[in-house]
Amino acid sequence: MALDPETFDALLSTVRRFVAERLRPVEERVEREDEVPDEIVREMREMGLFGLSIPEDYGGLGLTMTEEVRVALELGGTTPAFRSTFGTNVGIGSQGLVMAGTDAQKAEWLPRIASGEIVTSFALTEPGAGSDGASVQTKAVRDGDVYRLSGTKRYITNADKASLFTVMARTGGEGARGVSAFLVPADLPGVSVGQPESKMGQQGAHVCDVNFDGTPVPAANRLGEEGEGFKVAMRVLDRGRLHIAAVCVGIAERLIRDAVAYAAERRQFGKPIADFQLIQAMIADSKTETMAAKALVIEAARLKDAGEPITMEAAAAKYFASETVGRVADRAVQIYGGAGYIADYGIERLYRDVRLFRIYEGTSQIQQLVIAREVMKRGG
């Protein structure tokens, strides 16, 4: 159920101020220290950001998809590492539980996920399985009342902070129908987390390997029936891709604002570079593509709230928005010129940060395949 307009507008206003007054001023610190400050995380919890998509019955805000993407647009006004701090709780780390969990599982975990007491993580990718999620080799072997979980997951967001993993593991034969989903507490025996990887961008948002060595996962922690894990994962990714697309649009809007402000101040040949038509062309292209991406996101969110299937629409939004923000960031560096290549201005940081959006939660090439498959399935 949607929030009443006045309450939701107040939430948007609060998030907008939080981004401008608390997050943007510490962007350089996060980049330098590769860590989001504890006081910022505490404020995020108090604002309810960890529970944006968790139902109200379990202590969350229970936002509709349309409301969630509008919040994500605001969060795009700063480095995406801040959103990643609670992003797994809002998206891929919690939505399997929301969509497929039993009443007992939801009651046990969702209130603590919504409050931020628990950080969740989504463990699908492996050394030999990324885009081909149906080929996961991590095994879950039934042993009485537990499953013995063994295998390695790679590039798992927030793994070093997670108290709960949603893990995709093979319980049956090859292919998607042999994959099941499990809720795996991080303190179970045999769970170990590697050191955070050194990355191109998004410093402060950590990804790590996660290893399971005969970890005894209670059978009661399985999400859905055996063999339903891949289906759960794909439903989770539909929603996650739409959220990511909204963040991409928000960052593109921030980059455009910054580039326009710089172009109005920077003078060459006796006048602001904003007066030159080739600069204006880059701004026009960036604005047009960003408006189109935003329209895709808002329409897909509307369809989701109407109960329509959005596999194609979410893929299209994520594909177009992530490619768009990459082009917008590239043009912003060009408009800034030499200053765009210097760390002091922050543009080169965002240029590096946005590159990941075309890779995680499904590469652009996977989105193309999903879109084409859905178009043909729907008969064009």
Side-chain angles (χ1 to χ4, degrees):
M1 182 181 296
L3 297 179
D4 68 84
E6 185 176 343
T7 301
F8 183 66
D9 285 346
L11 173 64
L12 279 185
S13 179
T14 300
V15 172
R16 193 176 301 126
R17 285 198 310 273
F18 184 60
V19 167
E21 298 172 9
R22 294 291 291 131
L23 302 187
R24 287 193 62 158
V26 297
E27 287 176 346
E28 291 182 17
R29 175 183 168 188
V30 171
E31 170 81 5
R32 183 176 64 254
E33 298 178 359
D34 191 23
E35 196 70 62
V36 174
D38 289 342
E39 63 270 19
I40 295 293
V41 177
R42 185 168 56 252
E43 290 176 48
M44 289 175 174
R45 290 193 180 107
E46 292 169 355
M47 290 173 62
L49 295 181
F50 282 81
L52 291 177
S53 62
I54 306 297
E56 289 183 86
D57 288 347
Y58 297 100
L61 297 182
L63 300 188
T64 66
M65 196 71 238
T66 299
E67 291 170 337
E68 184 181 327
V69 298
R70 289 183 63 190
V71 172
L73 289 169
E74 298 295 338
L75 293 166
T78 186
T79 176
F82 291 116
R83 189 222 48 107
S84 288
T85 300
F86 58 84
T88 47
N89 277 38
V90 170
I92 56 178
S94 71
Q95 290 306 298
L97 177 56
V98 171
M99 295 173 182
T102 64
D103 289 343
Q105 289 169 340
K106 292 176 181 179
E108 181 178 0
W109 297 107
L110 286 180
R112 288 181 287 165
I113 293 172
S115 70
E117 176 189 343
I118 284 176
V119 172
T120 60
S121 198
F122 183 73
L124 171 63
T125 301
E126 298 179 359
S131 296
D132 183 12
S135 68
V136 296
Q137 294 303 305
T138 295
K139 287 186 169 51
V141 179
R142 186 72 181 251
D143 180 13
D145 291 334
V146 302
Y147 286 84
R148 300 287 175 181
L149 190 64
S150 299
T152 297
K153 298 294 184 177
R154 177 150 292 175
Y155 308 139
I156 305 305
T157 302
N158 285 339
D160 59 332
K161 296 180 172 62
S163 302
L164 181 69
F165 296 96
T166 299
V167 181
M168 299 298 148
R170 189 160 300 285
T171 52
E174 294 301 307
R177 293 184 179 180
V179 178
S180 301
F182 298 90
L183 297 169
V184 182
D187 60 0
L188 286 181
V191 179
S192 60
V193 177
Q195 291 298 309
E197 301 281 359
S198 297
K199 310 191 308 300
M200 176 192 293
Q202 297 204 21
Q203 310 309 327
H206 297 166
V207 297
C208 314
D209 283 1
V210 183
N211 299 297
F212 303 99
D213 184 9
T215 300
V217 181
N221 283 25
R222 191 185 63 224
L223 280 175
E225 299 299 322
E226 279 197 7
E228 292 185 349
F230 188 77
K231 182 170 65 176
V232 170
M234 294 305 101
R235 289 177 63 201
V236 166
L237 287 172
D238 280 351
R239 185 183 183 105
R241 287 166 177 169
L242 197 48
H243 181 101
I244 292 296
V247 174
C248 289
V249 173
I251 296 174
E253 290 178 336
R254 181 241 174 106
L255 285 162
I256 292 168
R257 288 193 299 269
D258 289 354
V260 167
Y262 183 82
E265 295 178 0
R266 173 67 168 161
R267 299 181 68 84
Q268 290 289 281
F269 304 101
K271 59 183 178 180
I273 63 172
D275 289 350
F276 295 108
Q277 289 182 331
L278 291 179
I279 297 294
Q280 292 173 4
M282 286 191 281
I283 292 170
D285 285 348
S286 293
K287 185 63 176 178
T288 302
E289 291 177 27
T290 300
M291 290 173 67
K294 187 174 185 177
L296 266 177
V297 170
I298 297 298
E299 173 63 7
R302 184 191 68 78
L303 290 172
K304 176 79 168 66
D305 289 335
E308 299 291 332
I310 61 159
T311 296
M312 181 182 74
E313 289 77 6
K318 200 268 185 181
Y319 172 47
F320 189 74
S322 62
E323 294 286 339
T324 291
V325 74
R327 290 190 292 269
V328 172
D330 186 75
R331 295 186 193 114
V333 171
Q334 198 69 15
I335 290 169
Y336 271 73
Y341 202 70
I342 302 301
D344 289 351
Y345 290 83
I347 295 299
E348 64 83 30
R349 182 186 68 245
L350 287 172
Y351 179 86
R352 289 183 286 109
D353 285 346
V354 302
R355 185 60 182 86
L356 182 60
F357 290 129
R358 290 152 62 188
I359 297 173
Y360 71 178
E361 297 201 25
T363 64
S364 289
Q365 289 67 41
I366 289 296
Q367 308 307 329
Q368 288 175 299
L369 294 176
V370 170
I371 294 162
R373 181 192 68 209
E374 289 295 314
V375 169
M376 290 186 286
K377 184 188 296 183
R378 300 182 192 186

